[in-house]
Amino acid sequence: MAVALAMLAAARIPASRRKGSDTVFFAAVFASLSAVLIYPPIYIPLDGLLGGTNVVKLVLQSLMVLGLWFLRTAIIDAVSPETSSSQRTSLHRIPLFLALAAQTVTFILSAPTRTTTQWSDDYGAELMPALFSLTVDWYVAWVCAEIAYTCLRFIPRMSGTFRRSFTLVGTGCGIGAITMFVMGVEALSLATTVIPTFNLRDTATYKLLELTSIALVGIGLTLTSIIGRRDRLRIARWEVDTLKQIRPIHDRALGCVGKNRALRADETAPAQDRLHRMVVEIWDAELAAGSSSVLTAEERDYILSVERRLDLEHSH
């Protein structure tokens, strides 16, 4: 699990560098750290250094809560623009704060006295430790269910690889929601007599469902990252090639009406901005020339096609 999440984080590094911040990257980092801490050869000695009271358990589950929140934010922003982060207030983070507060309070009231990597086996029969497990399990189930529902709503509007990618994400989250809801019920069953006791958490079925959920979500998000990078490289190549082809037309057009009509040039500006400037200057030169066009019919068609392509890219 840690390796799969680390691979997702690595795949999102370019997006994080480009945008300065990337919620999928943070989601993968927090979740992979949580998966690393749960590994017994790391958990046991580290918890011993912190007093041997399972503080590492609280830390790793807090990391999981944060990671899932970032994942939820990233996916909802991606597929549901009307609910993007720019339109949300601090009130939208109340579920996150409640989950962190509830698990902290139930952990403190659990008062664990010895390090264990089998929390349910050693403490699960007591009410507060069971509520501690329930808080995280049902928080995970709620986040996964919301992501699955959001994908289900907006997938019909998508097409091509993005549709397939978010289908994988929605399916993975749907499996995760059902699995973690059942885990929450199991946590209650261990501490009460109302619900019949069952033990799914330690079975191969649970581990398979858990890994399948993470794999589907990871593959889906990685595909979107790869597709986005491929499209950006394709657009960048087109912009460079177009600059080479349009520059002679631009220089000749301005030569016919006077170089003083040119806007201030910035050769360090992005290629898209320089293309926009040249297109504007070419049309301005065409208007200034009056009845004696500075463009051939082929050049006019080419400039119009470049303009349409630029407008389309800008709209995305």
Side-chain angles (χ1 to χ4, degrees):
M1 189 192 307
V3 171
L5 290 165
M7 289 174 64
L8 174 59
R12 299 297 303 189
I13 288 176
S16 182
R17 287 178 174 175
R18 187 178 66 258
K19 296 186 293 186
S21 176
D22 181 69
T23 45
V24 176
F25 172 76
F26 287 121
V29 167
F30 284 128
S32 61
L33 287 173
S34 176
V36 167
L37 289 177
I38 205 171
Y39 186 50
I42 295 177
Y43 181 103
I44 294 173
L46 181 59
D47 193 67
L49 291 174
L50 297 176
T53 57
N54 292 290
V55 173
V56 175
K57 176 75 171 177
L58 177 62
V59 171
L60 73 86
Q61 295 207 159
S62 297
L63 289 171
M64 184 189 301
V65 166
L66 288 168
L68 282 167
W69 183 263
F70 278 113
L71 179 64
R72 169 190 177 275
T73 301
I75 293 176
I76 291 177
D77 284 354
V79 301
S80 177
E82 60 265 32
T83 58
S84 66
S85 56
S86 61
Q87 299 171 335
R88 291 195 290 267
T89 65
S90 58
L91 292 177
H92 290 84
R93 291 190 287 272
I94 287 178
L96 171 63
F97 299 145
L98 285 177
L100 291 172
Q103 73 162 12
T104 302
V105 170
T106 52
F107 177 83
I108 292 172
L109 293 177
S110 297
T113 57
R114 63 187 184 279
T115 298
T116 178
T117 57
Q118 302 295 326
W119 179 270
S120 297
D121 293 340
D122 292 346
Y123 294 105
E126 303 172 31
L127 181 59
M128 281 303 159
L131 290 177
F132 172 70
S133 298
L134 175 70
T135 298
V136 177
D137 289 342
W138 280 5
Y139 170 82
V140 174
W142 168 73
V143 170
C144 289
E146 186 179 21
I147 293 172
Y149 172 70
T150 302
C151 290
L152 182 66
R153 283 182 58 203
F154 290 94
I155 282 172
R157 304 184 190 180
M158 302 177 189
S159 61
T161 308
F162 279 99
R163 183 169 186 166
R164 291 189 289 273
S165 296
F166 280 104
T167 298
L168 292 175
V169 172
T171 302
C173 286
I175 294 172
I178 295 171
T179 303
M180 298 313 296
F181 179 80
V182 173
M183 290 301 97
V185 175
E186 178 183 301
L188 281 179
S189 75
L190 296 174
T192 66
T193 57
V194 178
I195 304 171
T197 301
F198 58 97
N199 185 27
L200 178 64
R201 193 180 298 269
D202 294 328
T203 65
T205 300
Y206 169 71
K207 292 179 173 61
L208 177 62
L209 289 172
E210 185 181 48
L211 287 173
T212 299
S213 176
I214 291 173
L216 290 175
V217 174
I219 292 170
L221 294 176
T222 302
L223 282 176
T224 59
S225 178
I226 292 172
I227 294 165
R229 181 172 176 78
R230 182 200 64 190
D231 289 344
R232 286 189 298 274
L233 290 174
R234 176 177 51 79
I235 291 171
R237 286 194 299 269
W238 174 82
E239 289 173 346
V240 171
D241 292 340
T242 305
L243 273 173
K244 294 177 181 178
Q245 296 182 52
I246 208 173
R247 192 179 296 278
I249 302 173
H250 168 268
D251 293 344
R252 183 170 54 78
L254 262 66
C256 295
V257 297
K259 296 286 187 180
N260 59 332
R261 301 186 68 88
L263 301 171
R264 179 181 295 178
D266 181 5
E267 294 303 321
T268 63
Q272 188 179 89
D273 292 347
R274 283 180 282 159
L275 278 174
H276 272 293
R277 175 179 59 80
M278 287 185 179
V279 168
V280 169
E281 291 175 349
I282 289 171
W283 289 130
D284 180 66
E286 179 75 348
L287 288 173
S291 57
S292 56
S293 176
V294 297
L295 300 173
T296 65
E298 291 79 8
E299 290 172 341
R300 181 185 293 272
D301 290 340
Y302 177 68
I303 299 300
L304 285 170
S305 69
V306 170
E307 191 172 33
R308 284 193 296 269
R309 177 78 176 266
L310 288 171
D311 289 341
L312 181 63
E313 289 176 11
H314 182 70
S315 66
H316 290 154

